[in-house]
């Protein structure tokens, strides 16, 4: 099909490549067959229609005509192709051959059965069976089927089209008002259309019941190129904008690199190498005409102008589609208006939606009733009912309800947009040029009103509560937080609230993202963990900011304990990272504990993983070798004296305005050993608090203390996961009749069960390890580190 398009595309465009001048005279028809070899055994043969074939088309069975009338000079000279019905010299037959003779094949019988009630004009290349031989036809169909993975159906000479016979009937060209400047390959279905021009319909593809099919020139007669690339401006709607050049196969890695996101693209992790690899081969392709590849189809759509459909993609029942590239298994359906769109594998736009100047990445879906403009939707994104403008949405983002996103830069996605959420107050009354930088996993609650500019990229997995009004010009860098309206008209922030009040959210999200990632071609970079080095670094910075809060009470402050507990910190002038919110002393203490627990649990999980490996290598019993391996694992770890986070901003100092590291940029992404290196550095920074009130004096003693602390933190985390789900169960049962019988109880919930399972396995393993090290039955807790050391 490509070879046939290449050989005829210059003529098939209908404008000779010119810009709008007089159309040049067509070349004379070929005097004999033109043959193009595709492989040593396969050829494409192009030849003029024979007089018998022409008379068949004009006869009572076919009722076709060729517009243009009259007899060309060439026809008058040779006296062969001229008939009373018009000039057929530019309607050519094309057949694929596999060793058959070039001449002597007549397709009049096939034309009589498969082509009827159509007017032809301009250059038309019409596919016919390969020498009408059963062997050739069967071989051609078998070859096409093997390319597409389909089964071969139909009899030897019926011209059965692969992928279209069941849905649209037998192949052929029927009941079209006008077919002009087209390549219609053998095995396609072109039926019931109005004006069809400048299209290549491959074998097994279909064009059914469409109104006008054209190819863009079109602004003032000036030819506009149709390519699989475009420039999308995200962020500011006017007065600037962040231009991103994308192609049909672009990834978020390339998009983020083009936007200058991340901190370490030039050094460290694997981001630079991944961006280079992703960009390789993504050159922009220019299409000379509309193209329907085998097993694709366009049906029941009034207006089509500039489309490329890959195999198994479809446009069905759309209102209008212009300049659209659809990769395999993607679709545009049900009253959609689409202009300048790129749809990746298995993506869709459906049900009364409007989309323009956008790319929809793999397994992302738009509709019903959605409006998307000048936006980039990453893989596994779902948008329903809302409006999205000048926005970048990262993977696994969901906006299932009527909501608004304008100028939102959300590269890591994984969040949710509730009904009525207004994350789009980007107009200052001067220009609509403001932006919102959203953090990974942000939950925009129902009817929240977000005024821009706003930066929450350093507050991943935070919740903006329902109805919250977020003031413009603030930056929030407290991960896992809750921001909610206060009684005094200000917003209150609860740092780490998700970790201590709703850890079920984190555990479910880890499982959910792993199960719902369907975009296989983006899977090599979208499967990052929630709790990872960069997120832990943000938690350590947030904790340091909370610890450094001025006048927080205690000895030397002149405040009693009661007075200190009522202290309220107002905005980031007092506590960097809380934005314009107010922070209570109780919330400050809760945030410090939540961050400390997740920081230590992250590091201790890494230690336990390696301790388990040493345990297995040593046979799982009491062994001096096991003790030596643990000692070597921790190395010369110091037992205190290090700051909690030496790189954190001092009190009153704000963080630099920059993007946080992207997951694929982190050293641990390209080098698994870098994860343990980071966990070990955290263990060393936390060593002074991990040993309890009586820190062990040796590395071996510290190993036992770490194992005990890991088990306790894992058990406490599982208990909080269960408690957060039980709280919903109890409240619902006390409020709604029949609630308990129609909801999964906490103890039967798979997320809770998994957290409890991990905690139980950790407890059993740590007891065995401590017993093997001479630590008795593992009792005593972290505070018994000195006694454990003496027994060692």
């Amino acid at each position: 099909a490509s070879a046939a398009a290449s050989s005829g595309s210059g003529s098939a465009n209908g404008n000779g490549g010119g810009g709008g001048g007089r159309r040049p005279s067509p070349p004379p028809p070929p005097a004999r067959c033109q043959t193009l070899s595709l492989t040593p055994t396969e050829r494409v043969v192009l030849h003029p229609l024979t007089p018998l074939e022409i008379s068949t088309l004009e006869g009572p069975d076919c009722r076709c005509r060729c517009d243009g009338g009259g007899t060309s000079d060439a026809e008058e000279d040779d006296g062969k192709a001229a008939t009373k019905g018009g000039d057929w010299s530019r309607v050519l037959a094309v057949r694929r051959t596999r060793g058959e003779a070039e001449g002597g094949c007549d397709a009049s019988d096939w034309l009589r059965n498969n082509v009827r009630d159509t007017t032809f004009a301009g250059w038309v290349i019409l596919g016919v069976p390969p020498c009408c031989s059963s062997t050739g036809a069967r071989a051609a169909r078998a070859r096409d089927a093997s390319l597409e993975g389909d089964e071969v159906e139909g009899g030897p000479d019926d011209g059965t089209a692969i992928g279209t016979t069941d849905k649209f009937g037998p192949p052929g060209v029927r009941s079209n008002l006008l077919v002009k400047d087209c390549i219609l390959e053998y095995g396609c279905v072109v039926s019931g259309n109005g004006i069809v021009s400048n299209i290549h319909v491959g074998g097994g593809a279909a064009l059914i019941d469409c109104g006008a099919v054209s190819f863009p020139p079109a602004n003032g007669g000036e030819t506009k190129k149709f390519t699989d690339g475009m420039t999308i401006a995200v962020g500011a709607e006017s007065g600037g904008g962040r231009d991103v050049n994308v192609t049909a196969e672009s990834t978020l890695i390339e998009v983020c690199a083009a936007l200058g996101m991340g901190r370490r693209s030039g050094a460290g992790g694997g981001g630079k190498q991944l961006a280079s690899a992703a960009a390789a081969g993504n050159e922009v392709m220019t299409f000379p005409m509309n193209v329907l590849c085998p097993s694709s189809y366009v049906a029941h759509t009034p207006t089509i102008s500039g489309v490329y459909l890959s195999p198994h993609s479809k446009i069905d029942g759309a209102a209008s589609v212009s300049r659209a590239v659809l990769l395999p298994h993607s679709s545009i359906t049900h009253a959609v208006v689409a202009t300048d769109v790129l749809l990746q594998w298995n993506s869709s736009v459906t049900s009364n939606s409007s989309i323009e100047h956008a790319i929809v990445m793999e397994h992302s879906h738009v509709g019903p009733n959605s409006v998307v403009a000048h936006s980039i939707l990453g893989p596994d994104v779902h948008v329903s009912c809302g409006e999205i403008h000048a926005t970048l949405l990262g993977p696994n983002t969901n906006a299932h309800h009527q909501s608004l996103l304008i100028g939102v830069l959300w590269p890591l996605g994984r969040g949710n947009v509730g009904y009525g959420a207004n994350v789009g107050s980007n107009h200052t009354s001067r220009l609509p040029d403001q932006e919102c930088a959203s953090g990974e996993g942000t939950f925009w609650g129902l009817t929240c009103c977000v005024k821009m500019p706003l930066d929450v990229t350093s507050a991943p997995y935070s919740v903006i509560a329902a109805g919250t009004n977020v003031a413009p010009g603030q930056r929030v860098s407290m991960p896992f937080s809750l921001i909610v309206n206060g009684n005094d008209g200000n917003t209150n922030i609860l740092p780490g609230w998700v970790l201590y009040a709703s850890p079920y959210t984190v555990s479910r999200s880890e499982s959910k993202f792993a199960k719902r990632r369907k975009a296989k071609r983006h899977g090599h970079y979208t499967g990052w963990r929630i709790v990872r080095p960069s997120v832990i670094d943000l938690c350590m910075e947030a904790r340091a900011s909370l610890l450094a809060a001025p006048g927080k009470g205690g000895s030397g402050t002149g405040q009693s304990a009661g007075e200190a507990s009522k202290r309220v910190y107002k905005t980031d002038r007092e506590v960097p990272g809380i934005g314009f919110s107010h922070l209570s002393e109780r919330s400050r203490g809760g945030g410090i504990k939540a961050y400390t627990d997740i920081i230590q649990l992250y590091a201790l999980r890494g230690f336990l993983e390696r301790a388990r490996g040493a345990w297995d290598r040593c046979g799982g019993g009491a062994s001096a070798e096991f003790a030596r391996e643990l000692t070597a694992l921790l190395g010369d770890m110091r037992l205190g004296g290090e700051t909690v986070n030496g790189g954190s901003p001092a009190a009153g100092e704000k963080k630099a305005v920059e993007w946080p590291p992207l997951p694929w940029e982190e050293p641990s992404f390209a080098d698994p050993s870098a994860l343990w290196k980071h966990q070990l550095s955290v263990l060393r920074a936390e060593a002074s608090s991990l040993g309890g009130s009586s820190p062990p004096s040796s590395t071996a003693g510290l190993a036992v203390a770490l194992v005990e602390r890991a088990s306790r933190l894992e058990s406490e985390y599982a208990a909080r996961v269960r408690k957060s789900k039980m709280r919903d169960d109890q409240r619902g049962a006390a409020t709604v009749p029949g609630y308990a019988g129609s909801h999964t109880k906490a103890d039967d919930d798979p997320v809770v069960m998994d957290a409890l399972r991990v905690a139980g396995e950790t407890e059993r393993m740590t007891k065995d390890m401590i017993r093997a090290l001479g630590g008795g039955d593992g009792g005593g807790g972290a505070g018994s580190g000195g006694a454990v050391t003496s027994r060692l």
Side-chain angles (χ1 to χ4, degrees):
S2 300
S6 176
S7 63
S9 60
S11 299
N13 272 323
N15 57 15
R22 184 176 180 181
R23 184 169 179 168
S25 300
R32 57 182 179 81
C33 294
Q34 304 286 327
T35 302
L36 174 66
S37 295
L38 300 180
T39 69
T41 60
E42 183 178 18
R43 293 172 295 179
V44 169
V45 180
L46 190 68
H47 63 83
L49 298 177
T50 66
L52 179 58
E53 291 168 342
I54 293 173
S55 63
T56 299
L57 289 171
E58 292 182 333
D61 293 324
C62 295
R63 299 178 297 278
C64 295
R65 64 186 295 268
C66 190
D67 196 18
T71 304
S72 68
D73 294 338
E75 290 168 349
E76 291 178 353
D77 291 340
D78 60 30
K80 293 180 179 178
T83 71
K84 60 181 180 179
D87 179 6
W88 290 88
S89 62
R90 290 184 291 173
V91 179
L92 309 177
V94 63
R95 58 166 51 95
R96 294 174 180 269
T97 68
R98 296 182 67 85
E100 295 93 338
E102 294 182 6
C105 295
D106 180 77
S108 56
D109 288 342
W110 185 88
L111 294 171
R112 181 178 297 106
N113 295 325
N114 295 280
V115 181
R116 62 174 63 98
D117 298 314
T118 297
T119 298
F120 298 96
W123 288 96
V124 177
I125 299 177
L126 193 61
V128 296
C131 280
C132 303
S133 66
S134 60
T135 302
R138 185 180 295 276
R141 291 199 301 275
R143 186 217 48 230
D144 291 340
S146 66
L147 289 176
E148 299 305 325
D150 296 332
E151 295 183 0
V152 182
E153 301 176 353
D157 286 315
D158 63 357
T160 299
I162 301 160
T164 60
T165 51
D166 292 341
K167 190 174 184 67
F168 301 115
V173 181
R174 304 179 186 85
S175 304
N176 303 286
L177 182 63
L178 179 67
V179 173
K180 178 181 179 182
D181 297 327
C182 295
I183 302 173
L184 310 179
E185 292 225 33
Y186 168 67
C188 72
V189 182
V190 179
S191 176
N193 302 290
I195 299 176
V196 179
S197 65
N198 296 93
I199 188 168
H200 180 179
V201 185
L207 181 65
I208 306 294
D209 294 336
C210 294
V213 179
S214 61
F215 189 72
N219 299 334
E222 180 180 353
T223 300
K224 183 175 182 179
K225 287 185 176 181
F226 171 44
T227 71
D228 71 339
M230 69 174 75
T231 300
I232 300 176
V234 296
E237 285 192 291
S238 66
R242 304 168 188 253
D243 290 344
V244 183
N245 294 321
V246 297
T247 68
E249 298 189 7
S250 289
T251 66
L252 280 178
I253 296 174
E254 299 165 67
V255 169
C256 292
L259 290 170
M261 294 177 171
R263 295 180 182 176
R264 304 170 184 165
S265 296
K272 187 174 182 181
Q273 294 83 352
L274 272 175
S276 300
N282 280 1
E283 296 181 359
V284 174
M285 297 173 59
T286 300
F287 304 107
M289 60 196 313
N290 299 291
V291 177
L292 305 188
C293 291
S295 300
S296 66
Y297 74 87
V298 179
H300 319 302
T301 300
T303 304
I304 296 289
S305 179
V307 295
Y308 179 93
L309 272 69
S310 301
H312 306 287
S313 60
K314 66 180 181 180
I315 299 173
D316 194 346
S320 173
V321 180
S322 299
R323 296 182 296 277
V325 175
L326 284 72
L327 296 188
H329 300 283
S330 60
S331 62
I332 299 175
T333 59
H334 302 133
V336 165
V337 177
T339 305
D340 291 310
V341 296
L342 306 175
L343 267 61
Q344 292 191 355
W345 309 268
N346 296 285
S347 61
S348 67
V349 184
T350 189
S351 301
N352 202 37
S353 297
S354 173
I355 183 169
E356 63 173 310
H357 225 75
I359 178 172
V360 182
M361 293 188 184
E362 185 179 8
H363 268 291
S364 290
H365 305 284
V366 176
N369 307 312
S370 303
V371 177
V372 177
H374 301 274
S375 295
I376 299 172
L377 307 188
D380 297 303
V381 170
H382 294 79
V383 176
S384 303
C385 299
E387 296 185 38
I388 297 177
H389 300 265
T391 288
L392 164 64
L393 291 186
N396 292 104
T397 303
N398 294 306
H400 287 307
H401 310 285
Q402 186 69 53
S403 56
L404 176 66
L405 297 173
I406 300 180
V408 179
L409 303 175
W410 201 348
L412 301 185
R414 288 187 166 186
N416 222 303
V417 185
Y419 178 87
N422 173 14
V423 192
S425 184
N426 68 326
H427 208 302
T428 62
S429 77
R430 295 173 289 277
L431 281 174
D433 62 348
Q434 299 304 297
E435 301 169 319
C436 170
S438 182
E440 174 187 345
T442 304
F443 187 100
W444 302 102
L446 282 74
T447 70
C448 68
C449 182
V450 179
K451 301 175 179 65
M452 302 179 183
L454 176 71
D455 177 16
V456 291
T457 54
S458 294
Y461 296 95
S462 292
V463 176
I464 314 301
T468 301
N469 293 310
V470 182
Q474 59 178 314
R475 303 177 64 231
V476 181
S477 54
M478 295 284 158
F480 303 99
S481 295
L482 171 66
I483 299 177
V484 60
N485 283 337
N487 295 328
D488 57 358
N490 296 297
T491 56
N492 294 333
I493 186 169
L494 286 71
W497 177 87
V498 173
L499 295 174
Y500 65 78
S502 186
Y504 181 94
T505 301
V506 179
S507 293
R508 178 175 178 267
S509 294
E510 284 278 23
S511 173
K512 177 177 68 176
F513 297 144
K515 293 178 180 178
R516 295 186 183 179
R517 286 192 302 116
K518 297 181 179 180
K520 297 179 181 179
R521 295 165 186 82
H522 299 265
H524 63 287
Y525 69 91
T526 58
W528 64 81
R529 303 277 298 181
I530 292 177
V531 181
R532 59 182 186 275
S534 63
V535 172
I536 293 301
D537 288 344
L538 291 173
C539 290
M540 296 181 77
E541 292 175 3
R543 182 181 63 175
S545 183
L546 295 175
L547 286 168
K552 51 185 177 291
S555 60
T557 65
Q559 289 183 315
S560 65
E563 291 173 338
S565 65
K566 297 178 181 179
R567 173 69 194 269
V568 174
Y569 305 90
K570 299 180 179 180
T571 78
D572 54 7
R573 294 181 180 178
E574 296 189 13
V575 180
I578 66 172
F580 295 167
S581 296
H582 289 187
L583 170 68
S584 69
E585 176 61 23
R586 179 181 178 183
S587 296
R588 187 187 73 88
I592 292 172
K593 184 179 187 307
Y595 291 142
T596 298
D597 285 352
I598 195 65
I599 289 166
Q600 294 182 357
L601 182 58
Y602 154 81
L604 290 169
R605 281 174 173 171
F607 170 70
L608 274 183
E609 182 179 347
R610 280 147 186 83
R612 183 185 293 112
W615 174 259
D616 293 339
R617 288 191 298 272
C618 296
S623 169
E625 180 62 26
F626 178 51
R628 284 194 294 270
E629 285 214 28
L630 289 186
T631 301
L633 188 64
L634 294 174
D636 58 349
M637 179 172 168
R638 287 181 285 168
L639 306 183
E642 295 194 13
T643 60
V644 173
N645 183 29
S648 300
E653 178 185 347
K654 294 185 178 181
K655 291 177 60 176
V657 180
E658 59 183 359
W659 295 97
L662 299 169
W664 52 84
E665 290 182 342
E666 298 184 40
S668 58
F669 185 90
D671 180 11
S673 65
L675 176 62
W676 167 239
K677 183 178 180 181
H678 184 269
Q679 289 170 324
L680 183 58
S681 70
V682 173
L683 282 177
R684 288 173 175 167
E686 299 291 309
S688 58
S689 60
L690 285 169
S693 58
S694 179
S697 57
S698 68
T699 303
L702 179 61
V704 175
L706 295 181
V707 169
E708 292 179 330
R709 176 68 170 161
S711 178
R712 187 165 69 175
L713 283 177
E714 203 71 72
S715 297
E716 290 175 353
Y717 180 80
R720 290 197 302 273
V721 171
R722 179 174 180 269
K723 182 180 179 180
S724 62
K725 180 64 171 68
M726 286 186 65
R727 185 169 59 246
D728 293 339
D729 295 345
Q730 294 166 357
R731 182 175 57 185
T735 307
V736 181
Y739 185 98
S742 58
H743 289 72
T744 303
K745 294 180 175 60
D747 290 337
D748 298 327
D749 186 280
V751 174
V752 175
M753 293 172 65
D754 186 65
L756 294 173
R757 176 187 60 79
V758 172
E761 290 177 355
T762 301
E763 182 179 11
R764 288 190 294 272
M765 181 185 68
T766 54
K767 284 184 176 180
D768 290 341
M769 288 183 180
I770 293 172
R771 186 179 296 109
L773 290 169
D777 61 359
S784 62
V788 171
T789 302
S790 65
R791 288 196 292 271
L792 284 174

